[in-house]
Amino acid sequence: MSQSDPTPGRQREALAPLLPETIQRAREGLAAARDADGRRSVREALKNSEAIAQGLFEPKISGIERRRVLRGIIKTLFRVKVEYPHRIPTTPAMLAANHLSHFDPFLILSEIPAQPFYHILGDARTLFNKWWKRQILHLAVGVIPLDRWWKEELAVINAANAGQEDLTELADAIAQDVPDGNKIAALRQIDRIVQAIFACGHGIILFPEGRLGTAEGQMRLPLKRGAAIYALRAGVPIVPVGIIGTKDLYFRKELTLRFGEPLTFPQSNRPKPEQVQAVLDALHAALMALLPKNYQEPDELKLGRNFLNRMLW
């Protein structure tokens, strides 16, 4: 193995249980990382995001058109309830939501105002792993792809390091071919894009858990530090967004978006660790206050459940 520690420089997080599905998902991730069309689309998305932030490139469709299309699709599939949308500022802001499904960013985009134009900060391979996703995102733009190892890949690497020899080849391939996003140049590029987007009057949607949550009404910790650092450096408010109902999807299920009061903090070009942690603590508390304490799945017919839950994987 080329790495003795699968999480160098990372906040520690729980690994996925090493089940056959975990290994299969790691193989799928490796295949996506090796896909030339996918990597080309990621590079193009980053280039377009930088150009938009600099005023050198116009999206092919406006925020109004994007919202209209997404709203038409989402409301055909689900019933959507929106609470407190008036809490979204009309100036640049960060929308920070809990994360239960790959539908979540599109659900948010379908219901927020078209202006300012919001960009999605999300996992590169999940967003660009299929040709039809690439075509849609190429048209809509507004996507800032993040390279990172998946929790399933980390679990495989950890198991191989612990002596599970049947996973050594897969773990070595992941370490060699899957970008982990931890390189200084990559981190600086994302920070530069985000700051330029805020400076030009646009907004950012991100999911500070950094991966899908495991249950309704709960969040995975620790939250990613980037959410706090980006907002502090730009001096923009963070609007917590509670998403309810998307963990288990089926046709015509009611999904809820609940917007919290904007969180504001003093602007800081070089946030100290204690400032970052204070923001993350406040954000976590605000998000938990928006989520249900004892969520119960509706007892109703669940048409299209398998298809909708796997559609965007």
Side-chain angles (χ1 to χ4, degrees):
M1 282 294 296
S2 58
Q3 296 205 37
S4 59
D5 181 356
T7 56
R10 285 183 170 82
Q11 292 167 281
R12 295 290 175 170
E13 60 186 58
L15 299 174
L18 196 65
L19 304 172
E21 307 91 83
T22 306
I23 298 170
Q24 177 57 32
R25 182 64 175 157
R27 293 188 187 281
E28 291 171 0
L30 176 61
R34 288 173 166 173
D35 182 77
D37 290 335
R39 296 309 307 169
R40 190 179 306 112
S41 294
V42 169
R43 290 193 297 271
E44 182 180 358
L46 286 169
K47 181 180 177 181
N48 286 343
S49 293
E50 288 197 279
I52 291 170
Q54 295 168 16
L56 303 176
F57 179 79
E58 285 292 328
K60 293 179 175 62
I61 62 174
S62 68
I64 293 174
E65 293 168 322
R66 181 176 68 175
R67 183 180 63 179
R68 183 184 299 122
V69 170
L70 288 173
R71 184 173 288 184
I73 295 171
I74 294 289
K75 291 201 170 182
T76 297
L77 297 172
F78 311 108
R79 293 175 292 129
V80 181
K81 180 180 178 182
V82 183
E83 299 179 2
Y84 314 114
H86 62 277
R87 292 172 170 171
I88 305 173
T90 57
T91 53
M94 174 186 291
L95 305 186
N98 63 304
H99 201 11
L100 297 167
S101 164
H102 295 307
F103 267 101
D104 293 343
F106 305 108
L107 176 63
I108 294 173
L109 283 174
S110 73
E111 294 297 336
I112 61 176
Q115 295 297 329
F117 189 89
Y118 273 87
H119 301 249
I120 303 168
L121 195 64
D123 181 76
R125 285 176 291 155
T126 301
L127 289 166
F128 292 97
N129 65 341
K130 295 179 181 177
W131 70 266
W132 58 269
K133 289 188 192 179
R134 295 195 285 269
Q135 292 301 313
I136 292 172
L137 294 173
H138 176 72
L139 175 66
V141 298
V143 175
I144 308 168
L146 294 173
D147 279 320
R148 58 191 173 196
W149 283 346
W150 293 349
K151 63 182 184 298
E152 293 89 352
E153 292 163 338
L154 290 170
V156 166
I157 291 174
N158 190 66
N161 284 340
Q164 195 162 331
E165 295 183 0
D166 59 316
L167 293 178
T168 298
E169 183 178 353
L170 176 58
D172 282 340
I174 291 168
Q176 176 177 322
D177 295 338
V178 179
D180 69 0
N182 267 2
K183 291 184 173 61
I184 296 298
L187 294 172
R188 286 178 175 170
Q189 181 184 28
I190 295 298
D191 181 72
R192 183 173 65 248
I193 290 172
V194 170
Q195 297 306 316
I197 282 171
F198 285 134
C200 77
H202 294 188
I204 295 284
I205 297 170
L206 56 69
F207 300 91
E209 291 171 277
R211 61 277 199 209
L212 294 179
T214 57
E216 295 278 354
Q218 300 178 22
M219 294 191 68
R220 302 182 64 160
L221 297 174
L223 301 184
K224 299 299 183 182
R225 294 167 52 84
I229 293 171
Y230 298 147
L232 286 169
R233 281 174 44 76
V236 300
I238 302 177
V239 180
V241 185
I243 299 178
I244 303 166
T246 63
K247 186 60 183 175
D248 187 19
L249 296 170
Y250 50 86
F251 184 61
R252 304 307 297 162
K253 184 181 184 182
E254 182 176 275
L255 311 178
T256 299
L257 281 180
R258 186 175 292 159
F259 293 92
E261 293 285 357
L263 305 174
T264 58
F265 307 91
Q267 191 269 344
S268 175
N269 288 325
R270 294 188 176 183
K272 296 179 180 178
E274 56 268 25
Q275 292 175 289
V276 172
Q277 192 57 52
V279 172
L280 295 179
D281 291 344
L283 176 58
H284 178 244
L287 283 167
M288 291 303 297
L290 295 172
L291 299 179
K293 300 298 184 290
N294 297 293
Y295 179 84
Q296 297 293 323
E297 282 290 342
D299 183 15
E300 55 191 3
L301 187 63
K302 295 177 170 57
L303 293 174
R305 184 182 188 185
N306 290 336
F307 171 74
L308 290 172
N309 283 315
R310 295 289 300 177
M311 178 179 174
L312 295 180
W313 279 89

